[in-house]
Amino acid sequence: MTSEITPELFSTVPDASGRFGRFGGKFVAETLMSALADLEQLYADLKDDANFQREFDLDLANYVGRPSPLYEAARLSDAIGGGRIFLKREDLNHTGAHKVNNTIGQALLARHMGKKRVIAETGAGQHGVASATVAARLGLECHVFMGEEDIRRQSLNVYRMKLLGAQVISVTSGSRTLKDAMNEAMRDWVTHIDDTFYIIGTVAGPHPYPMLVRDFQSVIGREARAQSLAQNGKLPDALVACVGGGSNAIGLFHPFLGDASVAMYGVEAGGKGLETGRHAAPLSAGSPGVLHGNRTYLMQDQDGQIIETHSVSAGLDYPGVGPEHAWLKDIGRVQYVAANDDEALDAFHRLTKIEGIMPALETAHALAYAEKLAATMTEYQHIVVNLSGRGDKDILTVAALDGIEV
Amino acid sequence: MSRLGGVFADLKSNGRKGVIPYVVAGDPTPEGTVHLLHQLVAAGADVLEVGVPFSDPMSEGPVIQKGHERALENGMTLRKVLEIVAAFRRDNQNTPVVMMGYANPIERFGYDAFASACAEAGVDGLITVDLPPEEVDQIDQALLAVSLDNIFLISPTTPESRIQTIVDRARGFIYCVAVKGVTGSGQLDTEAVAQSVALIRSKTPLPVAVGFGIKDADSARVVASSADAVVVGSALIAEMERASQTDGDIGEIQIHGAAVQLLQSIRAGVDTPLS
């Protein structure tokens, strides 16, 4: 990368064609191009519209319960010794994760477009629940696509979605996980393009999705920035967030990208270990390619076929990653690392026991790395970890891994 | 003139319409695909469309998805698809072959290397579903350098203003998508298709082939009354799948035979003028 990193650089992406450097774009079938153009136009009109922003902010305050607290995990920090760990409590949002910030925003867009039907893909089920929730609230028909394998391991969230009135469609093609759910959602969208709004749950997909999901999620970082200044009188020294598609990480990172003193770490799912090949860490161990409408880092074989990923957490079990992360990796602004299944499980248990906060298994990957990082820092240094979701949904998975029958 | 240009010019001067079968390379078997292609030509194909299997074929309906999955299980790769085309080309220098697939295997291969390999194998054109005009510069330059045709899709949702942009970049022929949806889906609205074809014709002299949703001789005949060619994919693959699932010892000859039979009846349908 030749371009110099200046604070202004980060407000220049994506460009008009949806590029973050060499990543991003609109790699979709012709049938979707006009729908993407319509969405782009609508968002350009509404983005800086005071009424739209007020509507969004009010929903975040009164329906989601924002701002979410920034909490100093004092006992955890003491136990590790070193840097102080602060948790941005997105788990306290309505529906239990950061996902709802984005579904509130996209549901408002759907309403402005007059669409009566929304569809969503989901892995762990958090985005599916968040989509079903906003659909229930706005009286929209909601269809959630979920891999057969994920339906099995996230049965609680499946039932939640059904209670909320959504139809959950079991996806039996390919590896039967999140990537296949996204394929199926794209197919549904092409088929019902006139009346359907596709609520993409992460900062991936074709332009303008990576941009608008980032914008909706950036409330996390804006709050964390103000809260850090208010509580500690300074910016954090480091930010840590887990990265599957990467929406909670971008949401936390983006408002800090221009602050050169703030180090950032995106933690991918290392699965059984990067060296085994059984993981879901395209930034750490993948290569660039094109999938789901954008160019980004992918898990693929030498012939360009997407390969199966492995992670204990369904929400990180995805072979791609948002194109802005791919770009941030290339320019060196964010470091991408991996935590494996066992490390995440340990971190899950530790936070639960020491702080009384049960994190989602996705989030536990961020915690696992934050603990390592804290150990290398002094007590005057601060880490903000995005506590992106709560772990209730994972109780059965954790119990099974611990050999306990619930 | 390119092989594609020559075939469409011949069809026109003879007052005939083209038939373009689509099969997935490596489905049902990698060994059988070359033979299947020759059989399809014998059954009346004017152009062959060869599907390149991909792990995530986002625009395909369930029938073609399964074809991709079977081909990948059989170890098919982009390199092997090119070998299949080259083997076909040794015994047939006249029938154009168009490859249809997705961007990622090509990205991995490398655009320039891929274009040269296509030219060497005897490929005539390329349809890449997820490379709309906005994303096509890189591959288009590579294909132009070896005089290969890049073929674009125009769908029922393409606004009129955009059609011009697409046809300006297109070579070979225009692929008009008949339905809003994935391959093999939807109810064909033949009047709407005729209108789309007329609109495209008003903007380009290139031939127009219509695909997605053509299932049998009747639908092919109606569509061919306005289009220059019809593309049949899912219906052929479904026929082969049905044949392979019938009881008894069914060999590849019978499985291919099912597709050949359907294509023959579509050929006859297209050659019979509407009364």
Side-chain angles (χ1 to χ4, degrees):
Chain A
M1 285 292 131
T2 48
S3 49
E4 200 185 326
I5 300 185
T6 61
E8 293 72 38
L9 178 62
F10 303 102
S11 57
T12 63
V13 292
D15 67 13
S17 57
R19 297 288 172 151
F20 301 86
R22 62 180 167 143
F23 300 105
K26 279 187 191 176
F27 294 85
V28 295
E30 176 59 27
T31 308
L32 295 178
M33 290 302 283
S34 64
L36 291 173
D38 290 349
L39 179 59
E40 207 179 329
Q41 186 57 53
L42 176 85
Y43 186 63
D45 293 344
L46 290 180
K47 187 160 99 85
D48 300 315
D49 178 272
N51 286 327
F52 178 77
Q53 276 307 331
R54 191 160 44 241
E55 217 176 353
F56 181 56
D57 291 344
L58 271 177
D59 277 356
L60 289 184
N62 299 332
Y63 189 69
V64 176
R66 302 205 72 92
S68 67
L70 183 69
Y71 164 75
E72 181 176 4
R75 289 235 304 149
L76 178 68
S77 304
D78 289 345
I80 292 161
R84 307 302 291 175
I85 296 176
F86 290 76
L87 305 176
K88 180 60 177 161
R89 298 290 308 275
E90 293 298 300
D91 60 318
L92 296 179
N93 291 340
H94 180 44
T95 74
H98 73 288
K99 291 291 186 189
V100 72
N101 302 326
N102 168 47
T103 59
I104 291 274
Q106 289 198 45
L108 289 177
L109 295 179
R111 209 179 57 191
H112 274 274
M113 290 179 114
K115 307 281 186 182
K116 301 276 183 260
R117 181 177 180 272
V118 294
I119 56 171
E121 83 294 337
T122 199
Q126 291 303 100
H127 175 59
V129 167
S131 298
T133 300
V134 296
R137 177 170 171 249
L138 296 178
L140 303 170
E141 184 186 331
C142 180
H143 299 253
V144 179
F145 295 88
M146 190 167 183
E148 193 180 44
E149 171 67 14
D150 290 336
I151 285 183
R152 188 187 58 70
R153 55 180 170 174
Q154 300 288 343
S155 55
L156 289 177
N157 269 344
V158 173
Y159 188 55
R160 282 170 85 191
M161 288 184 265
K162 287 180 180 167
L163 287 172
L164 288 159
Q167 275 200 46
V168 180
I169 297 115
S170 173
V171 176
T172 56
S173 56
S175 62
R176 307 172 182 210
T177 60
L178 180 53
K179 86 171 169 75
D180 309 285
M182 199 152 178
N183 290 335
E184 213 50 44
M186 289 272 190
R187 290 178 187 125
D188 180 284
W189 196 27
V190 176
T191 310
H192 302 98
I193 193 97
D194 293 328
D195 69 343
T196 296
F197 188 99
Y198 181 13
I199 303 182
I200 293 185
T202 190
V203 285
H207 180 65
Y209 280 100
M211 172 179 73
L212 61 92
V213 176
R214 172 196 74 193
D215 291 352
F216 292 141
Q217 291 292 3
S218 291
V219 65
I220 302 172
R222 281 196 304 274
E223 286 177 6
R225 203 171 187 285
Q227 288 164 327
S228 290
L229 290 172
Q231 290 180 22
N232 303 319
K234 65 172 192 122
L235 293 177
D237 298 281
L239 307 176
V240 181
C242 64
V243 177
S247 67
N248 90 78
I250 278 288
L252 176 64
F253 295 168
H254 200 261
F256 291 95
L257 286 171
D259 299 308
S261 68
V262 182
M264 300 183 194
Y265 301 88
V267 188
E268 295 190 294
K272 301 285 185 196
L274 292 184
E275 69 287 354
T276 65
R278 300 194 63 210
H279 56 80
L283 289 167
S284 305
S287 54
V290 170
L291 179 69
H292 292 151
N294 64 102
R295 183 177 285 127
T296 187
Y297 280 87
L298 299 175
M299 304 267 299
Q300 57 181 326
D301 68 16
Q302 58 184 11
D303 298 307
Q305 306 296 345
I306 308 306
I307 57 178
E308 286 192 26
T309 51
H310 172 88
S311 171
V312 69
S313 94
L316 301 183
D317 216 346
Y318 180 66
V321 63
E324 190 160 10
H325 285 293
W327 176 71
L328 290 169
K329 171 192 162 75
D330 272 16
I331 64 170
R333 178 63 188 94
V334 179
Q335 308 305 310
Y336 292 91
V337 296
N340 65 29
D341 287 352
D342 291 343
E343 293 170 318
L345 270 171
D346 286 348
F348 170 92
H349 283 298
R350 197 151 36 244
L351 192 73
T352 304
K353 288 220 171 95
I354 296 186
E355 293 286 351
I357 296 171
M358 192 178 294
L361 282 176
E362 291 77 17
T363 311
H365 289 73
L367 290 162
Y369 186 77
E371 291 175 4
K372 284 189 199 169
L373 183 65
T376 69
M377 296 169 103
T378 71
E379 62 185 300
Y380 304 106
Q381 291 182 297
H382 297 166
I383 302 174
V384 171
V385 179
N386 197 355
L387 203 84
S388 53
R390 69 178 185 221
D392 310 46
K393 68 180 176 60
D394 294 314
I395 288 177
L396 295 176
T397 305
V398 172
L401 288 167
D402 289 343
I404 292 164
E405 241 179 86
V406 180
Chain B
M1 186 182 279
S2 72
R3 232 180 325 241
L4 271 170
V7 162
F8 278 106
D10 282 353
L11 283 168
K12 193 168 187 184
S13 62
N14 294 325
R16 298 180 74 218
K17 298 303 176 77
V19 172
I20 309 179
Y22 166 99
V23 290
V24 181
D27 174 44
T29 71
E31 303 75 32
T33 302
V34 174
H35 184 57
L36 176 60
L37 295 177
H38 287 302
Q39 286 178 292
L40 292 171
V41 172
D46 300 290
V47 176
L48 294 168
E49 215 180 279
V50 177
V52 180
F54 182 47
S55 52
D56 295 82
M58 285 193 311
S59 293
E60 314 299 345
V63 170
I64 295 182
Q65 276 176 51
K66 276 189 211 146
H68 281 239
E69 283 180 18
R70 283 189 297 265
L72 289 174
E73 278 163 25
N74 291 335
M76 192 48 45
T77 64
L78 180 52
R79 220 167 276 278
K80 289 181 184 170
V81 179
L82 289 164
E83 285 168 15
I84 284 173
V85 176
F88 169 79
R89 198 46 90 215
R90 278 198 280 279
D91 298 315
N92 180 324
Q93 284 84 48
N94 303 319
T95 310
V97 173
V98 172
M99 296 208 322
M100 182 167 184
Y102 293 80
N104 198 54
I106 303 173
E107 286 242 334
R108 191 70 181 167
F109 202 105
Y111 286 118
D112 291 333
F114 172 70
S116 313
C118 281
E120 205 170 308
V123 174
D124 299 280
L126 190 73
I127 305 169
T128 312
V129 183
D130 49 355
L131 288 181
E134 285 80 353
E135 304 293 354
V136 88
D137 284 347
Q138 236 180 325
I139 195 167
D140 211 21
Q141 281 170 15
L143 293 175
L144 266 175
V146 292
S147 306
L148 252 65
D149 290 332
N150 198 25
I151 294 150
F152 288 96
L153 304 168
I154 289 178
S155 100
T157 61
T158 307
E160 189 177 345
S161 56
R162 200 176 147 76
I163 293 179
Q164 192 66 54
T165 315
I166 296 174
V167 300
D168 285 348
R169 302 207 63 148
R171 301 188 294 279
F173 62 91
I174 301 293
Y175 192 132
C176 172
V177 175
V179 296
K180 290 177 192 169
V182 292
T183 48
S185 73
Q187 224 31 51
L188 199 61
D189 179 346
T190 49
E191 261 177 49
V193 169
Q195 281 173 17
S196 299
V197 171
L199 186 60
I200 295 168
R201 282 196 199 291
S202 73
K203 300 187 186 298
T204 177
L206 284 172
V208 181
V210 174
F212 286 41
I214 296 165
K215 295 181 170 69
D216 50 27
D218 286 342
S219 50
R221 178 191 297 136
V222 178
V223 170
S225 68
S226 61
D228 296 297
V230 295
V231 184
V232 194
S234 296
L236 293 177
I237 293 170
E239 275 304 302
M240 289 195 280
E241 206 175 23
R242 231 186 323 273
S244 70
Q245 283 162 355
T246 28
D247 292 337
D249 191 17
I250 297 292
E252 195 157 49
I253 295 172
Q254 284 94 333
I255 295 173
H256 287 182
V260 166
Q261 224 173 0
L262 177 61
L263 196 72
Q264 282 168 339
S265 96
I266 285 170
R267 174 83 262 171
V270 167
D271 289 345
T272 312
L274 284 179
S275 51

